Amino acid sequence: MSELVTLTHRDGVAVITIENPPVNALSPGVPEGIIAHVETAGADPAVQSIVIIGGGRTFIAGADIREFGKMTSGARPRLSLTPGLLKIEDCPKPVVMAIHGTAFGGGLEVAMSGHYRVAVASAQVGQPECKLGIIPGAAGTQRLPRLAGVAKAIEMCAYGEPIKAADALASGIIDKIVDGELLEGAIAFAKAQSSIRKTRDLSDKLAVEPGVFDAARKEAKKTRRGQLAPIAAIDAVEAATTMNFADGCAKEAELFQKCLFADQSKSLIHAFFGERAVAKIPGIEKDTPMYDIKSAAVIGAGTMGGGIAMNYANAGIPVIIKETTQEALDKGMAIIAKNYSNSVKKGRFPQDVMDKRMALITPQLTYDGFEKADIIVEAVFEGMALKKEIFGALDKIAKPDCILASNTSTLSIDEIASATSRPEMVIGHHFFSPANVMRLLEIVKGAKTSKSVIATSMQLAKKLNKVGVLAGNCRGFIGNRMVEPYGREAVFLAEEGAPPEQIDGALYEWGMAMGPLAMGDLAGLDVGWRIRKEYAHLRDPKLRYAKISDMLCELGRYGQKTGAGWYKYDENRRPMPDPLVAELIEKAAAESGVTRRTITNEEIIERTIYALANEGARILEEGFALRAVDIDIVYLMGYGFPAWRGGPMFYADTVGLKKVYDRICEFEKQHGEFWTPAPLLEQLAETGSSFKEWDKQKEAAGASA
Ligand code: 3HC
Ligand code: NAI
């Protein structure tokens, strides 16, 4: 009998315990163990009822996601859990599922095959499969509507958000919330049951108004743009209302299979493991000593400083925020207060939570109290002289074990650190705007940054509810270094004849949260303009340079903040194509001798997305990113890249690196040296390899930070 699942007895109740840490995933051996024990207990005359419970921190977090890749690669056959769950449901003795932690995906499907479900109040249940690009594959789409009704099943299967025990009780998914110890409560509940109730025999909640499914599909197409799984999940729930249970399960299996083999699910699974992989930094051992961050200070209460301070307050860490003038300080604090009140109005948290968070933020104009801070984050204007002046001052004020972080988006961490006597304590903490919302935190290590400072930063990211990704100290680090060629190609395409709305529309359709030109308008075109002017002396005059962006700025068109940029904006910040911009583009193209032509959406995607992957390959081979997946996570968490495309590097893998490389070579012939393929891309393309494979080889070779 499998050790992953154990069977014990308590007063006529068989207790089946799943022991597959950390999350009791249904890895090979687990479902088999559960079913075998149910059959044994079912046939044992001394057993009156059965309780199934998870050992450790949770019930069952679902199928073992690692197995899906083996199934799609053919390394293992697809074994359906559905027939095994019928055996649990057909057990002649009451089977009670005792839920704590999470019953997700296959975990909830196992739970629904039992005759009753009890849970602790903190438990959550959900069918999050669509977040992995698949749908429930063990009759979840058939049993859930029978228990909770069609609307709830659609919501849970198509959107994947978990629900809490109280909601599950109200919806009929669970039968009781256990107040005290779960196992004791479940055993008492099991003893009280004399009959069984099979979920698959229920039908009273399956009646549905006409049009419900079409409306749900329409909504999912809007809110889950481009994704296959939410629609497939709705189709499968619909099958529960039009077919008998067995046929509904067959329909679900067909849809599951289709989703599982699509690139979308491979991409989303890559993103799931990627989000966890970036936290692992080779060379930084688990026992690396870390600093305890109990208090923080932020310099600058502008766009970024305010959001950064909110992150600390949200995590319960008291934070000082310093400005140069009372006016700037008041303005920054007013924005923080407004952001919090909006959250209260939207019901995200009550007023007292806002009050507590506001009380954790101390606005001031001096460095008072900075000497006690465990971390200081600088978020002043982007200028090396100012940053160095501030770090020089901090060096005199901060305690020796205080982490000194800069939120710079492009400047050298080493040069900033050189203004201090303790470069080992200096690091980049690059937040993304809006800093209180965006989940990415690029953690930029300088040449001398200590391992403890890196390890603390990675841990802190988690505490601040961010995904920390370690980057090396090159200009723009990972994200902004790559966004440069991406934006450059968008502007070149405009010059060559694609209207801005076509460029942004093509990328939006493709899945990006917004197109690059609209993104420029949102971030402020003047930011790039200032950087271009600052680095003008480094530009090779022989290289093509599109003047349009500068021309827009010279007209005061900085984007949304000035009501006009690549687009003009109405009072609701809705973009509208502007004939003046079209004229300006034509003028700029004529001045630069660029021949205008009709451009396909396909070319727009290739030119912009391959530019990202090519630069990403350079960053990788130069060692400024640890793994290709780190680059993907930067783009998914910080730049609105669609998770169902996996990130720029994984997307290039799915297209095939040979095809990407060949196209880049064509672009090089047409457009010159901006398109020189990265040597790593060339090497991987020629050997039929992939970025994913490169990551694996590097991991096997034990590369370190
Ligand atoms: N399969 C394999 N590994 C899993 C897993 C799963 N279902 N769920 C979590 N893990 C792994 C993680 O990769 C991580 O591994 P690592 O330590 O080596 O990095 C470890 O378990 C711990 O996970 P987290 O760090 O995410 O732990 P948290 O406590 O923060 O979160 C959780 C726990 C809420 C369960 C979260 O891990 C989660 O959401 N997991 C995925 C749940 C899911 O999507 N289930 C559906 C699977 S598909 C399915 O069931 C199909 C079915 O219909 C047939
Ligand atoms: P901002 O102009 O909105 O705010 C900067 C603030 O710093 C101003 O309020 C200014 O008064 C204050 N300040 C200047 N000198 C100071 C000093 N000596 N002491 C205290 N306060 C001082 O700028 P923003 O956008 O917040 O940028 C700050 C930093 O964050 C820059 O390095 C920028 O590159 C970086 N960044 C900006 C992002 C963005 O989208 N805006 C994204 C990520 C990083």
Side-chain angles (χ1 to χ4, degrees):
M1 192 61 66
S2 163
E3 287 174 25
L4 295 166
V5 188
T6 60
L7 172 63
T8 54
H9 293 91
R10 285 270 306 272
D11 297 335
V13 178
V15 177
I16 297 173
T17 309
I18 304 134
E19 304 276 8
N20 186 26
V23 294
N24 289 329
L26 295 164
S27 316
V30 174
E32 294 82 351
I34 299 172
I35 293 156
H37 285 314
V38 167
E39 288 185 328
T40 305
D44 183 347
V47 170
Q48 273 87 53
S49 54
I50 299 167
V51 166
I52 300 182
I53 192 166
R57 70 197 219 204
T58 189
F59 183 66
I60 299 171
D64 186 334
I65 302 167
R66 290 167 303 192
E67 296 298 311
F68 292 136
K70 296 179 197 160
M71 291 176 196
T72 48
S73 67
R76 81 152 265 213
R78 196 208 149 213
L79 300 173
S80 170
L81 194 57
T82 309
L85 299 190
L86 289 177
K87 290 184 187 163
I88 298 177
E89 202 169 38
D90 285 339
C91 178
K93 294 167 186 170
V95 178
V96 176
M97 302 287 177
I99 303 169
H100 72 300
T102 53
F104 281 178
L108 180 54
E109 290 170 307
V110 168
M112 292 190 294
S113 73
H115 305 128
Y116 303 97
R117 284 150 295 279
V118 300
V120 291
S122 59
Q124 294 189 68
V125 304
Q127 298 283 178
E129 288 88 343
C130 62
K131 293 188 175 179
L132 300 171
I134 52 174
I135 67 167
T141 62
Q142 306 303 299
R143 285 196 179 91
L144 189 55
R146 286 173 160 83
L147 280 178
V150 168
K152 195 78 183 168
I154 291 177
E155 183 193 312
M156 289 175 68
C157 296
Y159 297 111
E161 293 308 325
I163 61 169
K164 298 207 172 109
D167 191 358
L169 179 67
S171 319
I173 300 171
I174 63 170
D175 302 291
K176 185 179 167 46
I177 292 183
V178 173
D179 287 330
E181 214 268 319
L182 177 61
L183 181 59
E184 297 310 316
I187 289 175
F189 185 93
K191 280 184 179 169
Q193 307 310 316
S194 53
S195 61
I196 63 168
R197 186 194 59 190
K198 298 183 187 183
T199 308
R200 71 176 191 263
D201 290 343
L202 305 174
S203 59
D204 56 321
K205 289 191 175 175
L206 290 178
V208 69
E209 296 288 318
V212 161
F213 294 103
D214 285 341
R217 276 184 283 263
K218 200 169 155 204
E219 180 67 13
K221 276 183 190 153
K222 205 165 75 192
T223 59
R224 298 294 183 273
R225 192 159 40 92
Q227 296 188 41
L228 303 172
I231 306 294
I234 296 166
D235 293 349
V237 174
E238 185 173 26
T241 67
T242 56
M243 296 175 178
N244 64 37
F245 182 78
D247 290 346
C249 287
K251 179 76 186 168
E252 180 196 80
E254 180 196 318
L255 291 162
F256 177 89
Q257 194 81 352
K258 220 187 243 170
C259 289
L260 181 66
F261 280 84
D263 282 341
Q264 291 198 2
S265 103
K266 291 175 194 156
S267 303
L268 285 161
I269 290 172
H270 168 75
F272 175 85
F273 286 117
E275 191 177 329
R276 286 151 183 86
V278 294
K280 294 172 188 133
I281 301 189
I284 296 198
E285 299 75 25
K286 276 207 172 109
D287 56 359
T288 304
M290 286 193 232
Y291 300 100
D292 198 9
I293 305 295
K294 291 212 209 81
S295 64
V298 175
I299 311 180
T303 310
M304 296 305 291
I308 295 169
M310 286 174 78
N311 287 321
Y312 281 95
N314 298 349
I317 300 172
V319 55
I320 298 171
I321 185 160
K322 178 197 176 290
E323 257 295 345
T324 43
T325 65
Q326 191 61 44
E327 193 192 349
L329 193 59
D330 291 345
K331 191 174 157 208
M333 287 305 290
I335 293 172
I336 293 175
K338 193 170 154 220
N339 283 337
Y340 278 141
S341 330
N342 283 342
S343 295
V344 172
K345 271 188 214 134
K346 286 180 186 154
R348 291 205 186 108
F349 46 76
Q351 182 65 41
D352 67 318
V353 170
M354 164 169 169
D355 297 343
K356 273 189 205 132
R357 293 182 183 181
M358 286 299 289
L360 285 170
I361 306 176
T362 309
Q364 62 186 47
L365 297 174
T366 66
Y367 280 121
D368 289 353
F370 272 56
E371 70 286 355
K372 292 195 200 115
D374 296 316
I375 183 167
I376 300 173
V377 188
E378 165 278 310
V380 302
F381 305 125
E382 185 81 340
M384 184 53 89
L386 176 62
K387 304 247 180 205
K388 281 173 92 167
E389 184 191 317
I390 287 180
F391 274 75
L394 292 178
D395 194 36
K396 296 194 182 74
I397 303 163
K399 59 182 183 171
D401 57 350
C402 173
I403 295 181
L404 303 180
S406 172
N407 184 48
T408 177
S409 39
T410 50
L411 300 173
S412 165
I413 295 300
D414 288 337
E415 198 175 338
I416 294 173
S418 73
T420 74
S421 61
R422 43 173 130 174
E424 70 286 356
M425 298 306 295
V426 178
I427 193 160
H429 279 190
H430 183 206
F431 289 84
F432 287 71
S433 180
N436 52 316
V437 177
M438 296 299 284
R439 291 206 60 217
L440 178 63
L441 177 61
E442 246 184 338
I443 293 173
V444 188
K445 82 184 172 84
K448 295 185 181 158
T449 310
S450 79
K451 285 189 177 187
S452 290
V453 169
I454 297 173
T456 307
S457 298
M458 294 300 295
Q459 191 195 50
L460 181 64
K462 220 170 178 183
K463 231 186 201 171
L464 302 183
N465 195 25
K466 302 283 166 197
V467 177
V469 178
L470 189 68
N473 182 34
C474 55
R475 197 160 93 91
F477 319 126
I478 297 175
N480 283 347
R481 175 167 161 182
M482 286 166 66
V483 97
E484 203 269 327
Y486 172 73
R488 177 197 71 214
E489 287 306 310
V491 177
F492 282 173
L493 283 159
E495 209 179 40
E496 288 164 37
E501 57 277 17
Q502 186 198 351
I503 297 166
D504 284 340
L507 280 149
Y508 179 80
E509 266 310 299
W510 185 81
M512 296 297 291
M514 58 170 33
L517 304 176
M519 188 170 83
D521 273 0
L522 180 69
L525 299 178
D526 54 321
V527 179
W529 189 36
R530 237 173 257 137
I531 294 172
R532 283 194 299 279
K533 280 196 276 192
E534 191 163 330
Y535 291 100
H537 60 289
L538 298 178
R539 200 170 62 233
D540 181 348
K542 289 194 294 299
L543 287 179
R544 176 175 170 190
Y545 181 77
K547 295 183 206 152
I548 320 160
S549 310
D550 294 348
M551 288 159 95
L552 289 170
C553 290
E554 281 153 14
L555 292 176
R557 299 179 70 113
Y558 292 171
Q560 289 197 17
K561 60 181 158 191
T562 57
W566 285 99
Y567 301 91
K568 55 183 175 190
Y569 292 87
D570 65 12
E571 60 285 359
N572 298 316
R573 297 203 163 197
R574 255 196 314 257
M576 284 163 296
D578 190 340
L580 198 140
V581 173
E583 263 173 49
L584 204 67
I585 295 172
E586 279 188 37
K587 185 166 167 255
E591 280 176 17
S592 305
V594 174
T595 314
R596 292 179 45 88
R597 61 197 165 90
T598 303
I599 291 171
T600 62
N601 286 357
E602 192 189 358
E603 180 176 347
I604 292 171
I605 302 305
E606 289 177 336
R607 291 269 295 275
T608 49
I609 304 297
Y610 293 179
L612 283 176
N614 199 33
E615 193 63 30
R618 282 188 214 287
I619 290 175
L620 256 188
E621 66 193 340
E622 290 167 16
F624 293 110
L626 278 171
R627 294 153 289 228
V629 70
D630 291 46
I631 297 177
D632 286 333
I633 295 300
V634 164
Y635 266 75
L636 301 188
M637 300 286 164
Y639 291 84
F641 200 99
W644 52 274
R645 296 214 188 253
M649 312 314 277
F650 190 79
Y651 175 70
D653 279 353
T654 59
V655 172
L657 293 192
K658 179 76 174 79
K659 194 171 158 206
V660 172
Y661 170 73
D662 287 347
R663 196 74 177 113
I664 287 180
C665 291
E666 284 171 29
F667 290 148
E668 190 187 21
K669 277 194 202 123
Q670 291 160 14
H671 304 286
E673 61 193 276
F674 279 130
W675 280 102
T676 306
L680 176 64
L681 175 65
E682 183 176 355
Q683 177 203 320
L684 296 176
E686 281 180 353
T687 54
S689 189
S690 62
F691 290 118
K692 185 111 185 153
E693 196 50 45
W694 195 77
D695 275 0
K696 275 193 206 149
Q697 283 170 10
K698 238 185 131 193
E699 191 185 347
S704 73

